[in-house]
Amino acid sequence: MTDTQIFEPDGRAIPFVDEGDGPVKLVLIQEHGLAADVLGVVGHYLAEEAGFHVLRVGHRGGAGDVSFDERVEDAVAVIDHVGIENTWIGGHGFGGTVARALAAAHADRVNGLLLLGVEEADIPVAPAIPVLIVQGTDDAVTPPANGERLRATAPERASIKSVAGDHLFPMTDPIETAVIIEEYLDWD
């Protein structure tokens, strides 16, 4: 696996992993507050086996609170640093909520939205972009009903796929999760 790097714009230490160099670009934002890199195996599979360019963005550490808008700015800073212009953007749980906000604010840079578990958040889906929701069947943190509600706001362009498991399904079933993403994004 590829080592984690740190990007430090304006003294902010933002961890990220940049893998692969394929034509399909995918940015994944990590769930907040988890010690493990839940998206590590999923990202590595998509980079190495599916031939995608995968950028995984973590959350800055350090003391003090980081606002939601600052988290979006952090993700954009890393995307710009790596030099990705048009990409699918997504994330796990809270990371997906950051991705939704980023897509809404920068729709011109986003080819689609990938949500691994959907938080209940008052962030509309950016217009005209496809949305893939992957949901754990037994997820109590981001329950399947959240994904259904979000899909109902854009039924013509939002799809839901399920993986057996709880909120950590990207870690407990990473290959199944990655294959769902690979098969869906291969048409883009």
Side-chain angles (χ1 to χ4, degrees):
M1 294 243 213
T2 303
D3 290 334
T4 299
Q5 300 176 55
I6 302 293
F7 179 52
E8 298 185 72
D10 302 322
R12 305 178 319 226
I14 309 164
F16 72 96
V17 175
D18 186 19
E19 286 188 276
D21 59 3
V24 176
K25 313 285 188 223
L26 175 61
V27 175
L28 295 173
I29 302 171
Q30 177 76 18
E31 170 70 284
H32 184 59
L34 294 180
D37 182 3
V38 174
L39 299 176
V41 174
V42 171
H44 188 70
Y45 174 92
L46 290 170
E48 297 300 319
E49 300 298 324
F52 291 6
H53 181 179
V54 180
L55 174 63
R56 290 180 309 180
V57 181
H59 299 282
R60 69 171 110 157
D65 291 327
V66 179
S67 75
F68 185 78
D69 289 339
E70 289 171 324
R71 293 190 190 283
V72 172
E73 290 173 19
D74 287 353
V76 170
V78 174
I79 292 167
D80 288 344
H81 172 69
V82 172
I84 296 176
E85 293 184 16
N86 294 306
T87 182
W88 274 76
I89 182 107
H92 177 228
F94 178 74
T97 304
V98 173
R100 282 168 64 183
L102 192 155
H106 302 279
D108 58 319
R109 298 179 63 175
V110 177
N111 296 335
L113 188 60
L114 168 64
L115 303 172
L116 304 174
V118 175
E119 284 192 328
E120 192 169 342
D122 189 22
I123 301 170
V125 175
I129 63 168
V131 181
L132 173 60
I133 299 165
V134 183
Q135 187 67 58
T137 55
D138 299 318
D139 189 342
V141 176
T142 55
N146 292 354
E148 291 291 343
R149 278 192 296 278
L150 184 62
R151 181 177 65 172
T153 67
E156 71 288 352
R157 55 193 168 89
S159 301
I160 295 180
K161 303 290 182 184
S162 296
V163 174
D166 61 16
H167 187 61
L168 297 179
F169 71 89
M171 186 169 65
T172 58
D173 290 295
I175 303 306
E176 182 180 357
T177 303
V179 167
I180 289 170
I181 296 166
E182 176 186 14
E183 290 176 352
Y184 188 88
L185 267 59
D186 261 352
W187 69 264
D188 188 23

